[in-house]
Amino acid sequence: MKLIKNGGFVEDRFATVGDEDQLPDGPVIVSLERWQAEGEALRARNTPVGVRLKSGQEPSPIVEDLDKLDVVALEFPTYRNGRAYSYARLLRERHGYKGELRAVGNVLRDQFQFMIRCGIDALEVADNITPEIWAENVGSFSLYYQPAADGRETVLSLRHRLAQRARERAAV
C-alpha cells in the first residue's frame, strides 16, 4: 500500500501490528483492543503509536488518550460503509484531535476528496494510485453544499457574501 499524507506521497513510517504480533522497534499502529490492554506499556516505549478503529468502533474509548496518539487509523471496510467519515469529523471538530487521521481499508479514488473534507489527512491507497490519479480526483470539485471539517466555504455562504457585495454596491 502507498500512503498519501497532506496531499503528497510519503513513506509510511508506521508498522501496523496484529494483536498477537511482537512489537517491532519504531512507530506502530495497534488495534483498539490492544491499546486498551497494553496502553501503558505502549506509551512507555517512547515511540509514536497509533490506534486503528474498525468500522463499528466509535472513537469514544480513545478520546481521553488522543493527546498520546500520533495516528488514529479509521477503517473503511466497503464503499457502502461511511461511519468512519462521521468518526473523522467527531475527532477533529468535537474532540479537537490534531494528530494524523488515516483512512485505511477500502479507500477508493472517488472518495479521496470527501475523506479530506471530513478531516482525514492521510490515506492508505492501492499501489495502482499515481500522483496523476490523486490530483485528478482531489481537484474534481471546487464548490461544496455542506460545511465540513476542512473549513471551505459552502455555496450558501458564497451566495450570501456575493449578495452582500451587490447590496453594498447598489447603496453607493
Side-chain angles (χ1 to χ4, degrees):
M1 296 297 251
K2 294 180 181 177
L3 182 66
I4 300 172
K5 184 171 180 180
N6 297 319
F9 286 78
V10 298
E11 185 177 336
D12 188 358
R13 59 190 195 110
F14 283 83
T16 300
V17 295
D19 289 343
E20 303 302 321
D21 296 339
Q22 185 173 355
L23 293 173
D25 292 334
V28 294
I29 297 175
V30 298
S31 69
L32 173 61
E33 293 81 10
R34 189 162 189 176
W35 174 255
Q36 290 173 323
E38 302 174 30
E40 191 172 318
L42 287 163
R43 285 189 295 278
R45 292 179 71 230
N46 205 22
T47 60
V49 65
V51 170
R52 180 177 177 140
L53 297 177
K54 294 177 186 166
S55 175
Q57 294 176 320
E58 295 186 18
S60 53
I62 61 168
V63 167
E64 297 299 320
D65 297 325
L66 289 176
D67 61 331
K68 299 167 189 78
L69 297 173
D70 297 278
V71 175
V72 175
L74 301 171
E75 188 175 293
F76 287 81
T78 69
Y79 73 92
R80 296 177 304 217
N81 189 328
R83 288 183 270 196
Y85 290 108
S86 300
Y87 299 159
R89 287 200 64 185
L90 285 171
L91 286 163
R92 289 286 189 222
E93 296 172 6
R94 184 177 296 167
H95 303 297
Y97 182 62
K98 302 290 185 213
E100 178 182 311
L101 274 183
R102 182 182 292 201
V104 299
N106 194 22
V107 178
L108 302 175
R109 61 195 260 175
D110 62 340
Q111 298 173 330
F112 291 166
Q113 192 163 23
F114 300 113
M115 290 177 175
I116 292 166
R117 294 214 63 225
C118 290
I120 293 169
D121 58 354
L123 302 95
E124 281 186 8
V125 297
D127 290 333
N128 67 338
I129 300 298
T130 63
E132 294 78 21
I133 290 172
W134 166 256
E136 175 186 324
N137 284 275
V138 170
S140 58
F141 296 101
S142 60
L143 298 172
Y144 305 98
Y145 286 103
Q146 69 277 56
D150 66 358
R152 294 184 76 169
E153 186 174 39
T154 64
V155 170
L156 182 61
S157 63
L158 176 62
R159 286 180 182 161
H160 286 297
R161 189 167 45 83
L162 293 174
Q164 180 62 33
R165 263 195 225 154
R167 284 189 295 277
E168 289 170 0
R169 278 190 230 135
V172 173

